[in-house]
Amino acid sequence: MGHREDLLEGAKRCLLEKGFARTTARDIVKESGTNLASIGYHYGSKDTLLAEAYISIVEGVSDGFDGADGPRGAAGSEPGSPERFHEVWESVIATMRAPGSPWHLSMEIVAMGDKLPGVRAHLAKAQREGARGIIPMLMGGREEDVSEGDVDTLGKFYMTLMMGLIAQWTFDPETATDAAELTAGLRKIIAATEGKVPGPKGDR
């Protein structure tokens, strides 16, 4: 590996051990066996490097529930169905249950607010792509075919669920929502609206 890859791997290890706020540039250099100048040369700043490292961590975790045919165990369920909804979120939640789950890093970004401007700005762009990527898992189809309108509606809806689950599983795993409860809630909403959900102006 070159310095760029070494820095990324070192930053990932630092993040998992110390989090965003406590990780310094010198920590990354020590962990990666590189030098301070390499951070600026390859990534521009420590914040950008940490953001890239976090994205890489999340992508690695996502591999646990995003296979070639969609989420593991969901290949036989109908896209857009409650069954697919349950299977996808069950797989996602399994990564939150796992020992050493890295999802707590997302909560650190939220809690730190403007103290991590470089990280937040970089990840805001990546979050939109995350919203685009989660839609095919639940609804079928290809990521490259997802429209901007669907990203702004379905994608943001699913990402809101994701962040809520991360917050719950980080704060209190004992009472956090599981996939069965989430799906039961979805079924009640469907039944209550009878498929008629108000639009932006209250149209049905």
Side-chain angles (χ1 to χ4, degrees):
M1 291 193 298
H3 276 198
R4 182 178 178 84
E5 293 78 15
D6 290 336
L7 284 167
L8 186 65
E9 292 302 313
K12 287 163 63 175
R13 291 191 291 271
C14 287
L15 275 180
L16 292 172
E17 180 181 348
K18 296 186 173 185
F20 283 100
R22 294 175 55 215
T23 295
T24 67
R26 292 189 182 278
D27 289 332
I28 298 171
V29 167
K30 181 179 179 181
E31 187 66 34
S32 63
T34 58
N35 55 69
L36 289 171
S38 293
I39 295 178
Y41 178 78
H42 290 290
Y43 291 94
S45 70
K46 182 197 75 169
D47 277 359
T48 300
L49 170 55
L50 289 177
E52 291 286 352
Y54 172 72
I55 292 169
S56 181
I57 290 170
V58 169
E59 288 175 345
V61 174
S62 299
D63 288 343
F65 55 83
D66 188 11
D69 295 319
R72 291 182 180 179
S77 60
E78 182 182 355
S81 67
E83 291 75 22
R84 171 65 68 95
F85 183 90
H86 178 272
E87 290 165 352
V88 170
W89 290 111
E90 187 173 50
S91 296
V92 172
I93 290 170
T95 68
M96 299 177 188
R97 295 179 189 269
S101 171
W103 291 113
H104 67 277
L105 292 170
S106 299
M107 290 298 96
E108 184 179 1
I109 296 170
V110 173
M112 289 296 292
D114 293 336
K115 295 180 181 179
L116 294 170
V119 173
R120 288 167 61 88
H122 194 77
L123 292 181
K125 297 178 182 178
Q127 187 177 51
R128 185 169 183 84
E129 292 311 305
R132 185 186 306 278
I134 199 172
I135 292 173
M137 293 173 55
L138 288 128
M139 304 301 291
R142 303 185 307 168
E143 184 173 337
E144 54 266 36
D145 295 332
V146 174
S147 70
E148 295 302 313
D150 280 346
V151 173
D152 286 331
T153 52
L154 274 175
K156 288 183 176 180
F157 172 74
Y158 291 139
M159 292 302 288
T160 299
L161 288 181
M162 174 76 83
M163 289 303 295
L165 288 168
I166 292 171
Q168 290 181 12
W169 281 93
T170 300
F171 177 70
D172 186 10
E174 294 298 320
T175 62
T177 306
D178 62 23
E181 293 168 332
L182 200 62
T183 306
L186 174 68
R187 290 183 185 278
K188 288 185 177 182
I189 291 171
I190 293 172
T193 61
E194 297 181 344
K196 298 177 182 178
V197 181
K201 296 182 180 179
D203 297 331
R204 290 178 179 271

